[in-house]
Every structure is written in C-alpha cells, then in structure tokens.
Amino acid sequence: MLDANLYEEELHPTPLGATWREFKQRHVAVFGLVILTVFIVVAIAGPLLSPYAPTTQHTNALLIPPAWNDNGSILHILGTDALGRDMLTRLFYGTQVTLFSSIATVFIALSLGVAMGVVAGMSKGLRSSFINHVLDILMLTPTLLIAIIIVAILGTGLTNAMLAIGLALVPRFVHMTRDFVREEMNKDYIKTARLDGANLTQVFLFNILPNMVELLIVQGTLAISVAILDISALGFLNLGAQTLMPELGVMIADGLSTVYIAPWNILLPGLSIFLMVLSINIVGDGLRSALRNRLTH
Amino acid sequence: MTPLLSIQQLTYNPPKRWEFLSPRSEFVLGPVDLHVHESETLAIIGSNDSGKSLLAKLIAGAVKPTSGEILLNGQPIGTHQSKARANNIRMVFRHSAESLNPGISIGSMLDEPLRLNTQLSPAMRLEKVMQTLSLVGLMPDYYYFYKHMLSDGQQQRVALARALILDPQVIVADEPFAALDPSVRSQTVNLLLKLQAELGLAFIFISHNLGIVRHMADRTIVMSNGQIVESNLTQTLFTAPEHPSAQKLIHAHNSMLKL
C-alpha cells in the first residue's frame, strides 16, 4: 500500500486555472482578450470616463475632425458629428448599448435554448421531436429577416430588436443541446451516474454540463458576434435602436449623410463593431482550444 | 443460510420494435436462477452473445428486467434504480475509460455517489474519498486529476474505487481485466482478492480469460444463448465440464495451456 503522506504536490490548478494556463499559450487569443477587456471596461466605465453627455450638442463645434488632424481640437479627441456631439463620448455609450444588449440577448436565448434542448434530449419519441422542431420554422429564414418581420409586427425599438434576434437564435441552441445531450446520454459514465441514483436533473448538472462548457462557449461567442452585427444592422436600418440612442449602428446611419466631409463619423463606430466582433471570436476560439486542451494535455 | 444475493426466475425480453426496422430474431434472456454468498467470487463465462453482459446489467440495475426477482439478504430489491441497490450492488463497466466522466475531476467523480446516497458532511466525504483512493492504491493527489491524466490501469482503479466507495456488499464487473496489460492485470486481480478478503465482498465478474477465472472464482457459471447451462465449483467445472458449450470453452483453454 502506498503511504498516503508520502508526497503531496502543493499546487493543483483549479479547472479555471488550468484553462487560463492553456489560454495564455496562445498569444493571439490573449491579444483578443486585451481588446475585449478594453471594450468591456469602456462599456462599464464609459459614463464616468466621458467628459460630455452623449446627447449634448456643441453648436460651435460641428464636424470637428479628430485631435491629431490639423483642424482638430483637444476638447474633442475623436472629433464631433454633424450635430456637434462628441464622438468619443458617443462611442463609449454606443459600445455599452451594443455590447451589453447583445450579451443579454444571447444569454437569455442560450438559457432558453439549452433548457428546451435538454428536455428534448432527455425525453424520447414524439415529445422529443416536438420540442426539438417546434421552433424550426424560425430557421427557415435568415436571422435579420426574421428580426425585420418581428419588428414590423411589434414596432421598432431596441427591446423589440433584441427580442427578435434572441428568438431567431433559440432554435440553433435547442438543436445543438439536444444533439449533444442525446449523444452523452448513451455513454457509460451517464449509466454509472444513473446507477448511483442520480435523477435526470442531477445527471445534467453534474455530469453533462461540465462536458458541455466547450460547446456553450463556442456557440455562445458565435451568437454574440452575430447578435452584435444584427443589432447594429437593425439600428442602421432604423428598425432597432432609435436615432437619439447612441447605438453603434445608429451612429453609422447618422454619419452616412456627411461621409465625404467627415469620414470618421462612420469609420470609428464601424471600427468599434469590427474590433468587438473580431475580439469576441478570437477569445471564443482561444477559450475553446484551451478548454479542449485542458482535458487532453 | 440465506444467500447474500439471490436471483429468481429473472427474464429479459427486449421491448418490441417495429418488425421492418429490426428483422433479426429477438434475443431472450433467462429465466435465470442464481445465488451468491458472502465473500464468494462468481465468474460468468460463455461465448459472445450469450447474454453475460446483459445479466450483469440486470443484476446491477442498469437494465430493467421483464420479470423475476432479485433478493438481497432475503429482501426483494424494489425498483430498478433504488437507493438500496445503489448502496449495495455496484457495477464496474467493461471499458473503464468510458465509464469515467472526462469533464470532472476524479475527486468529484468519487464524491458523487456519496453526495447522492449518504448524509455525510463535505469534510467526511472528502475523508472517505481519500480513504478509498488509498484503498485501491492511488495517491491522494489523484483527487485533483482528470481522467485523461491517468493510465488504463489507473482508470481501472478509479472505476473500482467508484464501485467500492459506498461499502457495497456485491460488486458486478463486466470484463474488468480485458483492457489491461498482463502486469497491470495481475496487480488488479491481486488488489481485488485482497479487498475481498478485507471487506467480505461478493464479487461477480465476467471474463473471457479462463486463466483468471480459474485463479479467482469460487464458482463459475457458463452461459449460452441467454441461459445458464452449467453452474459448478470452478475446480469441478474445469476438470469435468458437462455441457457441450462449457466443454468447448474449457478444452480451448486447456489446449492453449498445453502448447
């Protein structure tokens, strides 16, 4: 018999620690994380950092270029738009609106989709098929088109846009969860858990969910980037967030009329959207391989 | 003396499917009668498709029998996934690698049966997990390890620890030695014999390796086509098999020994 006190290693990395150790091996992913962190900090602390209110109009400073330009002013570091609103301030608020509404949308859609998928995956026969396919009709058309239809029925506004996009995302989550749960339910380790007396809820929470994190991260980040693009697209089309709200898509639409004399008005919000989506995808990809490597290395 | 585990008229017919989907004739198990005493080792041998694994699963409760009763200490075990069964009859699956959850640490894997079936506090559960780890010859460090960090033999030990942790009276193992190399296999065999001597377990196992059966088992039953065709003391069975399928298996084994 081995002596229990023979030798005990002092540091055992927690699952989170092990994931981080794998994650930081990939420099691109860490770079993405830095960008994403900047966006999140800006989105949270934006109101504190910004010198003006997002709707304040500086009538004596219309269409001022960014500060590094010869005509720029240090009072408006990223310039102003056609109504004299400070670009930096609006970008802070715009990031807040777009990023957080996308994350909230995906979070709710994911919870709903996973719940339905789990019920479908654990039940059999007609009930399983029904739950699985009841929302499939939403998969027939592209996300944006469904969103437009729903906005047409319910009226414009950010909440309705979020509702529409969330609803369009649910069936995808239902399908992925159901397929995954079905596959896992046939494995021996679920049988052993069942023999231990675990009920279906316990089987899911303690046995399937730890294995599902990777899938959720991948699909969740993909969905967040889709949601960011769709929410700003609806804002751009004047179907989502309305003109007064500092939303990135709305800002691009506002800047479109002065694009030749003030290109920064669409360039900067567009760049923000691009960087947000890019960093989320990079981080999601990095997290996925980190989570996978954690369980193979 | 009442046997520890007694199986009476156990049968299993697979549920009917639509004929055109499964044209093959259905396999039927039983009726099977079987008795196992305390600290007894029972081996189940037989050719492929003879229902050995199914019988093991029926005993452990992984599959619900069509009819028949399983008595533990003279008391019928009720439904097919009850607490009494989970506490007293534990199963080790054929491929230990697949019966361990890849996503959670060994510690939480061993903790789960305790959490579900006992009233122990977290500290006591931790202590019990550590005890069980050392019982099967694993270091306390393994509490934090994941499945992929372990070798086949170590995974086998974890699967065994998972079966032992509730202090069961019966362990049912489906080919526990199949995937192991000879040295690890003999280690595991010795481990099991030692545990059995210490804890007084009844041990039912399925094996294709008749050498191990002869070494370990007190009694051996031979299955063929879902029926027990012969049941005898191992020594008697190996010297004078009666049923043709038993003769086939034993002769094949003996002829290999003579080479």
Side-chain angles (χ1 to χ4, degrees):
Chain A
M1 182 61 56
L2 290 168
D3 183 2
N5 297 316
L6 181 64
Y7 161 74
E8 186 156 12
E9 200 182 320
E10 278 182 22
L11 192 71
H12 295 288
T14 57
L16 213 60
T19 312
W20 171 243
R21 204 176 53 186
E22 292 292 339
F23 185 80
K24 67 181 180 189
Q25 305 288 319
R26 297 167 65 92
H27 296 171
V28 180
V30 175
F31 181 67
L33 184 67
V34 169
I35 299 179
L36 188 62
T37 313
V38 169
F39 272 111
I40 289 172
V41 166
V42 158
I44 292 171
L48 303 172
L49 294 173
S50 56
Y52 310 105
T55 47
T56 312
Q57 300 183 5
H58 307 273
T59 39
N60 51 351
L62 303 180
L63 291 176
I64 291 194
W68 54 85
N69 188 293
D70 286 345
N71 298 324
S73 153
I74 197 66
L75 290 175
H76 303 287
I77 295 174
L78 293 180
T80 58
D81 66 5
L83 296 174
R85 294 174 296 194
D86 184 54
M87 205 62 205
L88 184 68
T89 310
R90 284 180 62 78
L91 277 182
F92 284 175
Y93 279 88
T95 308
Q96 191 177 38
V97 171
T98 310
L99 187 60
F100 286 168
S101 59
S102 315
I103 292 177
T105 307
V106 169
F107 185 75
I108 294 168
L110 192 69
S111 320
L112 200 67
V114 167
M116 287 177 72
V118 169
V119 174
M122 286 186 170
S123 50
K124 289 194 178 92
L126 198 63
R127 185 163 67 145
S128 168
S129 289
F130 179 75
I131 301 170
N132 193 29
H133 296 296
V134 65
L135 288 174
D136 277 10
I137 193 88
L138 293 173
M139 291 179 93
L140 291 177
T141 42
T143 326
L144 202 59
L145 206 58
I146 301 172
I148 289 174
I149 295 169
I150 291 178
V151 165
I153 299 168
L154 294 177
T156 56
L158 183 61
T159 324
N160 286 349
M162 282 168 68
L163 184 75
I165 293 164
L167 208 57
L169 288 173
V170 170
R172 248 190 274 178
F173 293 139
V174 175
H175 279 273
M176 98 193 175
T177 312
R178 186 225 189 208
D179 291 348
F180 186 81
V181 169
R182 270 190 102 98
E183 201 179 304
E184 294 297 291
M185 286 300 277
N186 289 328
K187 293 191 176 165
D188 273 352
Y189 69 83
I190 299 297
K191 268 186 216 146
T192 49
R194 294 286 282 161
L195 285 180
D196 288 342
N199 60 31
L200 287 175
T201 323
Q202 287 161 332
V203 163
F204 174 69
L205 287 179
F206 301 117
N207 292 288
I208 297 182
L209 200 57
N211 294 302
M212 212 180 146
V213 177
E214 187 190 320
L215 180 77
L216 290 183
I217 295 273
V218 177
Q219 296 291 330
T221 47
L222 265 178
I224 288 178
S225 46
V226 167
I228 288 178
L229 287 175
D230 284 354
I231 281 182
S232 33
L234 285 177
F236 179 79
L237 295 173
N238 207 11
L239 295 170
Q242 293 301 293
T243 315
L244 280 178
M245 194 176 245
E247 198 271 328
L248 293 175
V250 176
M251 288 168 69
I252 296 180
D254 286 350
L256 209 58
S257 50
T258 54
V259 63
Y260 290 117
I261 46 173
W264 60 89
N265 274 349
I266 65 162
L267 199 67
L268 292 171
L271 199 65
S272 302
I273 295 174
F274 167 70
L275 283 178
M276 238 189 287
V277 171
L278 184 72
S279 61
I280 285 173
N281 277 332
I282 291 176
V283 169
D285 192 47
L287 262 182
R288 178 182 53 173
S289 34
L291 286 168
R292 198 175 39 208
N293 291 344
R294 174 172 77 90
L295 295 179
T296 45
H297 285 183
Chain B
M1 182 184 149
T2 30
L4 177 62
L5 183 78
S6 139
I7 294 165
Q8 294 172 353
Q9 293 295 312
L10 196 72
T11 58
Y12 177 77
N13 302 314
K16 280 269 179 289
R17 301 271 174 207
W18 292 322
E19 283 296 320
F20 57 90
L21 285 181
S22 53
R24 281 193 306 155
S25 64
E26 298 288 2
F27 174 81
V28 179
L29 181 93
V32 170
D33 285 284
L34 193 63
H35 303 283
V36 186
H37 294 278
E38 204 171 305
S39 342
E40 189 183 30
T41 307
L42 179 75
I44 305 176
I45 59 175
S47 54
N48 288 338
D49 280 334
S50 57
K52 307 187 300 291
S53 297
L54 184 61
L55 180 61
K57 282 179 185 159
L58 285 169
I59 296 173
V63 177
K64 196 174 179 170
T66 312
S67 67
E69 259 192 333
I70 299 178
L71 305 175
L72 186 73
N73 293 320
Q75 299 290 320
I77 297 186
T79 53
H80 87 123
Q81 276 163 354
S82 68
K83 288 265 148 92
R85 174 173 244 149
N87 276 318
N88 292 311
I89 305 179
R90 304 284 289 165
M91 179 153 184
V92 179
F93 280 88
R94 184 184 316 203
H95 305 291
S96 56
E98 282 165 28
S99 69
L100 304 180
N101 192 336
I104 59 179
S105 67
I106 304 300
S108 39
M109 211 182 295
L110 293 177
D111 188 53
E112 190 180 30
L114 291 175
R115 201 183 55 227
L116 293 169
N117 291 300
T118 61
Q119 310 291 326
L120 300 177
S121 68
M124 289 161 80
R125 291 207 303 258
L126 179 67
E127 199 190 319
K128 179 73 185 168
V129 171
M130 291 304 181
Q131 269 176 18
T132 314
L133 278 177
S134 77
L135 189 67
V136 296
L138 293 172
M139 304 279 282
D141 280 18
Y142 284 77
Y143 187 87
Y144 304 97
F145 283 17
Y146 283 83
K147 189 195 99 177
H148 68 272
M149 303 176 183
L150 307 181
S151 69
D152 283 351
Q154 287 167 331
Q155 287 177 2
Q156 189 70 46
R157 279 162 191 255
V158 173
L160 196 60
R162 207 171 190 286
L164 286 168
I165 198 157
L166 288 172
D167 300 324
Q169 301 179 35
V170 183
I171 287 189
V172 184
D174 187 356
E175 297 188 33
F177 315 111
L180 304 176
D181 66 75
S183 69
V184 180
R185 192 191 299 151
S186 41
Q187 270 181 30
T188 319
V189 169
N190 290 341
L191 177 69
L192 275 168
L193 288 174
K194 189 171 77 78
L195 291 175
Q196 196 177 26
E198 281 172 12
L199 307 173
L201 296 166
F203 185 54
I204 302 173
F205 75 104
I206 296 172
S207 188
H208 282 297
N209 189 329
L210 297 194
I212 288 181
V213 170
R214 195 168 192 174
H215 178 61
M216 282 187 79
D218 301 317
R219 271 194 308 135
T220 304
I221 61 176
V222 183
M223 290 193 72
S224 171
N225 278 327
Q227 304 286 337
I228 295 182
V229 292
E230 191 165 352
S231 167
N232 219 330
L233 293 176
T234 307
Q235 213 49 49
T236 324
L237 183 83
F238 273 73
T239 40
E242 279 167 13
H243 191 270
S245 65
Q247 282 171 354
K248 240 190 253 171
L249 286 167
I250 306 285
H251 288 160
H253 173 64
N254 287 340
S255 63
M256 282 221 314
L257 286 184
K258 278 170 198 152
L259 279 176

